Amino acid sequence: MLDNQIIPFDKNRRHGRGATANPDGRFEIVERDFIDDGWAPAEQDDTDRLKTTVTIERPKSILSRNMSPDLPFDRSVNAYRGCEHGCIYCYARPSHGYMNLSAGLDFESKLFAKPNAAELLAAEISRPSYQCKPIALGTNTDPYQPIERKLKITREIIQLLAETRHPFTITTKSDLVLRDLDILAPLAKDNLVSVGISVTTLDRNLARVMEPRASAPHKRLAAIEALSKAGVKTLVQASPIIPGLNDHELERILMECRDKGAESAIYLLLRLPMDVAGLFENWLWENFPDRAARVMKLVRSTRGGKDYYAEFGKRMVGTGPYAALINKRFRLACQQLGFEGSKYSLATDLFMKPGRDKRQMNLF
């Protein structure tokens, strides 16, 4: 039985997408229910499927800051809103509500791109008061999602960071990151970059329905190997760990990634903030009806009986016996595999503000 009932979107039209529904945004003052009136065509072809659209957004600033004690960084850049990877569990889905759009299918099909991101970032790190610390790329939406292949906004950003010798980290599920090895490899020699590859599962079938447009698991492992061989500090992010669905893979994921060259690891327990809870539960019942009830029961056992709570210090790892067991397994595996260090331990003393003549010394 679903606790978060949502009317599903036409299955043929959403083929290849993660969410099963497209409920109204949480800030909308009216709600719409879609019903079948019998006039829909009996068969639908590819032209009826939900298409991806990209809207150009021109923000006035690009560097986001946070003071969260749960995060190892205090600044980040996101080149895109929404993410075509379509990961059903994505905690960023509710952010589409601020655009009067749904956290469901809208989040993965109605995307926003910021082509002036590098220009804005150059202006912000040029300020006299700016203090250099690692910038995190991909903290909300993936910087290497499919539209990056054409738009290359992320590449422009890292080119700027390379020119200014500014340290940064990347978090991604895509092997498209290898396209930029020509920039990343030289920076790695000076400890200016590290890359976190998110590996949620090694099961291709599970990955296909859970994160349908992200790189397949074997391609992510190949990306870890290529990055490591190029000298780039690489970290595996076993995230999210979903009780009763992929948690049994934890040790194997860490071992496979270590064998490909990953130097360190983190894990995050499944988070279901706001709209994500209903979307995830409906997805579970459609794709895994035999275990949906058990998964949700275990998830809630790690959140004090609720779908989610956002308390600092607990939201990333949960509470209760099951969450404690996952944490213990992770720590033991890391110890056995020799994982250590942080991807945010990067050099900050090489930074040069944009436009500065590298040949001219400071007077003071």
Side-chain angles (χ1 to χ4, degrees):
M1 179 178 178
L2 282 76
D3 291 338
N4 300 288
Q5 181 68 50
I6 298 175
I7 297 176
F9 197 83
D10 183 86
K11 202 166 186 177
N12 291 323
R13 291 192 61 203
R14 59 177 162 89
H15 179 77
R17 300 290 180 175
T20 61
N22 202 44
D24 293 305
R26 67 185 187 281
F27 298 121
E28 298 300 299
I29 59 175
V30 296
E31 293 185 3
R32 297 167 294 170
D33 288 338
F34 296 92
I35 61 173
D36 181 5
D37 60 5
W39 288 100
E43 294 184 3
Q44 295 176 319
D45 57 27
D46 289 347
T47 61
D48 296 311
R49 288 182 181 170
L50 199 62
K51 299 292 193 301
T52 298
T53 63
V54 181
T55 300
I56 299 302
E57 180 182 357
R58 297 196 177 275
K60 295 182 179 179
S61 62
I62 197 68
L63 194 63
S64 300
R65 295 181 181 270
N66 77 85
M67 299 178 64
S68 171
D70 291 328
L71 300 176
F73 58 88
D74 66 357
R75 63 200 69 186
S76 60
V77 169
N78 287 283
Y80 304 103
R81 288 183 190 264
C83 185
E84 197 175 4
H85 282 163
C87 305
I88 186 58
Y89 51 74
C90 183
Y91 61 81
R93 283 181 176 273
S95 63
H96 245 43
Y98 296 110
M99 310 301 288
N100 290 329
L101 293 172
S102 173
L105 292 167
D106 282 350
F107 177 79
E108 53 195 274
S109 64
K110 295 183 179 180
L111 312 179
F112 296 81
K114 308 170 187 177
N116 63 335
E119 178 184 347
L120 291 172
L121 183 59
E124 294 191 47
I125 65 177
S126 295
R127 293 174 180 170
S129 61
Y130 181 77
Q131 299 294 317
C132 178
K133 289 185 180 180
I135 292 176
L137 307 182
T139 58
N140 201 47
T141 56
D142 202 305
Y144 287 101
Q145 59 178 288
I147 58 174
E148 166 62 18
R149 193 175 300 277
K150 177 180 179 180
L151 298 182
K152 300 181 180 179
I153 299 174
T154 297
R155 183 171 175 87
E156 291 179 2
I157 292 171
I158 68 173
Q159 282 176 326
L160 166 68
L161 296 173
E163 291 167 2
T164 57
R165 314 295 286 167
H166 195 299
F168 63 98
T169 68
I170 294 171
T171 299
T172 184
K173 292 184 177 72
S174 176
D175 65 339
L176 181 57
V177 66
L178 298 180
R179 178 200 64 187
D180 296 334
L181 261 182
D182 61 316
I183 301 175
L184 303 177
L187 293 175
K189 294 179 180 179
D190 291 325
N191 193 32
L192 289 169
V193 65
S194 63
V195 177
I197 301 291
S198 177
V199 181
T200 312
T201 178
L202 298 175
D203 183 335
R204 290 171 61 96
N205 294 325
L206 176 57
R208 186 177 293 112
V209 294
M210 187 165 62
E211 36 197 31
R213 300 197 178 192
S215 294
H218 72 278
K219 287 202 166 188
R220 298 185 217 179
L221 293 176
I224 291 175
E225 184 173 30
L227 288 164
S228 300
K229 287 183 176 179
V232 179
K233 183 186 297 184
T234 310
L235 169 141
V236 54
Q237 300 189 177
S239 169
I241 294 298
I242 304 173
L245 192 63
N246 71 344
D247 58 326
H248 65 283
E249 295 187 70
L250 178 58
E251 288 84 359
R252 186 177 166 219
I253 288 173
L254 296 176
M255 183 176 65
E256 292 276 355
C257 293
R258 192 282 311 270
D259 290 346
K260 296 297 183 181
E263 298 180 13
S264 55
I266 64 170
Y267 86 97
L268 299 174
L269 195 65
L270 176 70
R271 298 167 56 192
L272 298 176
M274 295 176 281
D275 315 51
V276 185
L279 290 166
F280 179 80
E281 186 172 0
N282 277 259
W283 171 86
L284 259 181
W285 280 102
E286 178 172 298
N287 292 282
F288 302 97
D290 60 323
R291 70 188 88 170
R294 178 174 182 270
V295 170
M296 290 307 301
K297 182 178 180 179
L298 289 173
V299 168
R300 290 171 182 139
S301 77
T302 68
R303 301 292 179 182
K306 302 178 181 179
D307 289 334
Y308 181 63
Y309 56 70
E311 184 179 344
F312 288 140
K314 299 178 180 179
R315 59 182 183 146
M316 302 296 191
V317 295
T319 60
Y322 205 90
L325 177 61
I326 292 174
N327 183 272
K328 186 174 183 178
R329 287 171 53 199
F330 173 78
R331 294 183 180 280
L332 180 60
C334 286
Q335 182 180 359
Q336 293 174 339
L337 295 170
F339 281 139
E340 59 182 15
S342 167
K343 72 173 183 176
Y344 293 94
S345 301
L346 301 174
T348 59
D349 57 341
L350 301 177
F351 173 59
M352 299 175 294
K353 292 185 184 296
R356 173 181 159 188
D357 189 337
K358 300 177 184 178
R359 298 168 298 176
Q360 182 175 344
M361 299 178 64
N362 286 331
L363 294 176
F364 304 99

